[in-house]
Amino acid sequence: MKGLIGKKIGMTQVFNDEGNLVPVTVIDVNTCQVVGKRTPEKDQYSAVTLGFGEVREKVLTKAQLGFFKKNNAGLRRHLREFRVTPDEAAKFNVGDAVKADMFTKGQVVDVTGTTKGRGFSGVMRRWSFKGSQTKTHGTHEYQRHPGAIGQRKTPGRTYPNKKMPGHYGVDQVTTQNLTVVDVDVEKGLVLIKGAVPGHNDALVIIKPSIKLALRQQHKAARGA
């Protein structure tokens, strides 16, 4: 499998084998289940669909209920599809529980989530501007302003993508190369060191590190 769906529980701290205190983010992957499969013969590609989070039937639409009924799978709130090879897909059946032991202690992973929403923010908070003016004599209430945004007569307009005040947060972000500190299979928990995006109870996707995989492929190709 290429990944797991989880829920960000919050942060805690654990001691590693050397006795050092390590801050970690706890991710619950306890209700991950295979709810569907894609095959090259029918869908032109191979993939496994995972469901996460228990949900009542009346919350789902008729189309969603039809999907679960067609596949004889349990109801799940969130669905995500993971591309795998046909050989990997053959190892999983609809209804199988996918547990935390898919990842191992010390493994490097990428975590995708939605960042916290911060509303309408100014340039100092949104883009880390230092401020346009210093607080000296003659400067009034202008310390947190963005400064000039134009280019004089030519071109006579503001360029697109100019860093300005605006909506900040609620963006899909992937933090790469985080370390799995520990895995609790019985409780369905994965402890990860690093900046996991999102607020507590937010949905996250854990995948093996893509950069590490590409590096290993490149090394293997050079060795061949």
Side-chain angles (χ1 to χ4, degrees), residues 52-101:
F52 177 80
E54 298 179 353
V55 64
R56 292 176 295 176
E57 182 175 340
K58 68 177 184 179
V59 176
L60 302 176
T61 64
K62 289 185 178 180
Q64 292 172 330
L65 289 173
F67 170 81
F68 291 115
K69 184 177 180 180
K70 179 181 178 181
N71 293 331
N72 294 321
L75 303 182
R76 288 293 182 267
R77 180 179 293 274
H78 305 285
L79 301 179
R80 291 295 185 275
E81 194 173 86
F82 297 89
R83 292 289 187 98
V84 295
T85 63
D87 294 337
E88 291 175 329
K91 300 177 182 178
F92 297 93
N93 297 316
V94 175
D96 290 349
V98 184
K99 299 183 179 181
D101 57 1

Side-chain angles (χ1 to χ4, degrees), residues 130-203:
K130 70 175 183 178
S132 59
Q133 297 286 341
T134 58
K135 194 171 183 179
T136 58
H137 295 287
T139 303
H140 295 282
E141 296 80 41
Y142 210 79
Q143 291 80 26
R144 301 183 68 88
H145 286 220
I149 62 173
Q151 285 77 37
R152 296 189 177 184
K153 185 176 180 180
T154 303
R157 62 186 178 89
T158 301
Y159 287 128
N161 301 320
K162 179 70 175 178
K163 292 182 177 179
M164 298 178 68
H167 184 265
Y168 180 33
V170 198
D171 295 319
Q172 180 174 296
V173 172
T174 299
T175 307
Q176 297 182 318
N177 297 337
L178 303 182
T179 304
V180 177
V181 176
D182 200 0
V183 176
D184 191 332
V185 180
E186 294 182 359
K187 296 181 180 180
L189 301 177
V190 180
L191 308 183
I192 296 178
K193 177 186 176 182
V196 175
H199 56 79
N200 291 346
D201 294 333
L203 191 74

